[in-house]
Amino acid sequence: MNSLDRCLRRATLPVLVLIAGCSTALQPQIFSKHLTASKNVSGEYTLDKNDEPKTFEEVYKEVALVRGRYVSAVSDLSNASPQLSAWLLGLSAAGAAVALGDGSARTVAGIAGVGAASYAAGNLFIVRARIDVYRAGAEALQCGLNAAAPFRNKARLVGEPDDPDYKDTLYGLKAAVARRSDELRVAMRQSQEVDQPELRIVPARTRSCPRPRPACPAAPAGATAEELKLLNRSACLREQATWDRDCVSTSERTETLPAAPEAIQTMKEARASLEDGNRARRRADRAIDLIEGAASDLWARAVAVQLKVSEEVDKTIPNQTAVLAAIKAAGPVAGALEDGFKRAGVAGASTPASAPGGASATGESQGTARQVRALSAGDRARLRDLAQLTLELQEATSSLDEIAANVAGSGAAKARKAIAACTMKINNTTLRVSPDATSLPLELGKTQPFFVSSTGGVPSADVEVDGKATSLPVQVQGGQFRVDYTAKDVKAGDTALLTIRDGSAEHAVSLSIIEATGTSPTPPTTTGARRKLPAIDADTQRKMGLTPPASETELYAAIDRCQAKGAAPKTGEWDDATQKAAGRGDCKP
């Protein structure tokens, strides 16, 4: 190998280093560490492993990490393109210097070969369409992260399944409610007889009175209250009850004493608190399911995006045979490039019914206070313990309910739907036309420009009026293509169907020809005749139907479209009226 060949081989090193240093150029597939995927015979990716992160926070961080890798890939590939251009400019300058210095034909041809090979290899691996795929993937994942953000702080309130019962999380408070419920049930079992009726034996008694039992006058039918008062019947009935109590002999019998009211009330509150605690735990479970469901939604969306990105990236990967064939023309440098690429390697119980304490056949209980079961000192101590445990359970239940309501607040279902709606929108991998409307009005004699971006080669355009198709010229302007259609040789009421095509897609727009509205000159449609546009924020650009950041050419096309549809006066400039129309969304196609 002579010295010239060695020099030319060294000259190829920068492009090799540049491409190899951009990891996504030679190894373009990007997956989370939790996923393993393989491609089937139809070119679709299927999952071999899907180890979903355990918590919402882990899911969120992993999705954000993959998004960051997509953004880095966009940055790497975007930076590689101008670096390659700078290298080629330097190489061109060197070639010119050698040629002017009366260099040999072989030397000049060698330098030209290095440039051609570098250009071919660089542009095969540094593909604009791949940048757009990564960008679309990053935007889709960011959409999911934004939609899931409301759940992120709420996820911290959920905690971990093994949180202790003193921790203020859903899992911790669920454990606290469960523990206090168990303690209360134990105390209720130990005190269950306190609120039960008591069966008491009443011994026999033998009594007699020298006076006979008072005879009370019967109430006459239809007697008034005043007449009954004059009969003194109430007083007589009280005397009868006293005589029955003191003078009647009885045999041994049993009677049932109902539980004390405070015991019944304490046990009733305890049972109600247990039911409230069970309901609160069920609500907490639903809130936890909501957060875990949101995490699963976000992860499923991220998995779908990664698979889609991989499939789309595959479409941008050049065939290695085509790469090497493209650089064979480099002559003395072909071997270096070929070797370099090969080395790179492409319950509750019901309260018992109280036993009635009604009067006997002799009217013994008339006029006496109702008796209830007496409470011992031990009974009262147990009731105090029950009341305290009930209060603690109520407090834990209230805290659990409060956090569960916060986690499962309004808008949660809508936010989960927003996560599912985050899909990839790949720009520039298909034909893009601005304005992208499918129908536009066009005045007689006026010209409607269309600005075209395409990765499918140079687009073509034609217009059809009354069944007659005519090809339209395609110009290169400002890094994109431009197609103009002028409403001539047509009349008002005609419809011109303009179609723009590239190798992968087509865009058709119906132009309705209308009468000219005035004699004012057509506003300029090229940015060279206009003032430089001020900064237009991204939100306003979206309201104009553009994808930020839009070029000045795209912005002026949107301004023309806005003014052509009558949303603002036709000045051809970004004036106050057009700004207001754009802010209202009137400029969107």
Side-chain angles (χ1 to χ4, degrees), residues 23 34 71 100 119 156 178 226 332 375 418 424 458 483 502 514 520 530 550 581:
S23 60
H34 294 269
V71 172
L100 291 173
Y119 179 81
R156 298 188 179 100
E226 187 64 26
L375 295 175
M424 280 183 61
V458 178
V483 176
D502 67 0
I514 60 176
S520 57
R530 293 170 164 173

Side-chain angles (χ1 to χ4, degrees), residues 194-196 258-271 351 372-376 379-384 386-387:
V194 175
D195 73 333
Q196 301 298 316
E262 62 260 46
I264 294 174
Q265 183 62 26
T266 300
M267 295 294 277
K268 181 179 179 180
E269 291 180 358
R271 293 186 186 98
T351 303
V372 297
R373 175 176 179 167
L375 295 175
S376 65
D379 290 339
R380 295 188 182 279
R382 285 194 291 272
L383 288 177
R384 285 194 296 272
L386 276 175

